[in-house]
Amino acid sequence: MDQVNDDRRPEEDAARLGLVVVGEAAALQSGDESALDASEANIRDTIDELVDEPLTPRQEEVVERLAQAGGTLTAGLSGALAAQTGAPVDAVLEGAARSVLWQERLAAEREQGHGPVQHDAAGSERVDRDEDSGSV
C-alpha cells in the first residue's frame, strides 16, 4: 500500500492501470509464460500501490481478474486490428500505450490551464491560431 496516493491525480492512476492492461495484452500476445507471470505480478503490485486501504483477498482477486480481462480484450482487439490493417500486433499495442499516455498528458495540461495547445494522437503539439488576428 502506498501512502502518497493523495498526491497523484486520478488520471495518473488511470494511465498506470491502462498501461498495466496493455502490458497484459502484450504478454498474452507473446505467448511467453514468463511474460505472463511478470504481467500478473505487475498487476498485483500496481493494485497494491494504488489502493489506500488493504483490499480483502476477494476484492484483490476481483480487481486482478478485471485487469486480466481488460488485457484479454485489448489483446483480442489489437490482434483483430492488426489483421485488418496489416500492421504488426506489437505496433498496435504500442499505439495503445501511446494513447493512454497521451490522454493522461492532455488531462494534466487541462488541469494546468494550457488550453490553446492541441496534440494529435502521436502526442505532437499543434498550435491553434486565431484566424482574425493571426496570433497564437
Side-chain angles (χ1 to χ4, degrees):
M1 232 179 355
D2 193 342
Q3 297 302 317
V4 298
N5 290 344
D6 292 337
D7 296 339
R8 289 191 311 249
R9 295 177 359 273
E11 294 85 359
E12 290 175 301
D13 290 344
R16 181 148 183 223
L17 286 170
L19 293 174
V20 165
V21 168
V22 173
E24 177 74 359
L28 287 166
Q29 285 288 344
S30 76
D32 181 357
E33 197 64 37
S34 62
L36 284 169
D37 291 343
S39 177
E40 289 173 13
N42 188 32
I43 290 169
R44 283 189 296 279
D45 292 345
T46 301
I47 292 166
D48 189 46
E49 290 175 14
L50 293 178
V51 297
D52 295 322
E53 296 179 16
L55 298 175
T56 67
R58 173 139 171 73
Q59 289 171 326
E60 189 170 324
E61 184 177 337
V62 167
V63 173
E64 287 175 19
R65 300 289 170 118
L66 284 170
Q68 290 169 345
T72 300
L73 287 169
T74 302
L77 293 171
S78 296
L81 183 58
Q84 185 176 23
T85 63
V89 176
D90 290 344
V92 174
L93 290 170
E94 182 181 322
R98 276 196 314 263
S99 180
V100 167
L101 294 173
W102 176 61
Q103 288 297 321
E104 194 283 324
R105 181 177 174 192
L106 289 176
E109 289 176 357
R110 276 193 303 272
E111 187 174 290
Q112 295 171 358
H114 296 227
V117 176
Q118 301 294 317
H119 295 87
D120 61 19
S124 300
E125 288 188 0
R126 186 181 80 228
V127 178
D128 290 337
R129 298 190 182 277
D130 180 350
E131 293 183 21
D132 294 334
S133 68
S135 64
V136 177

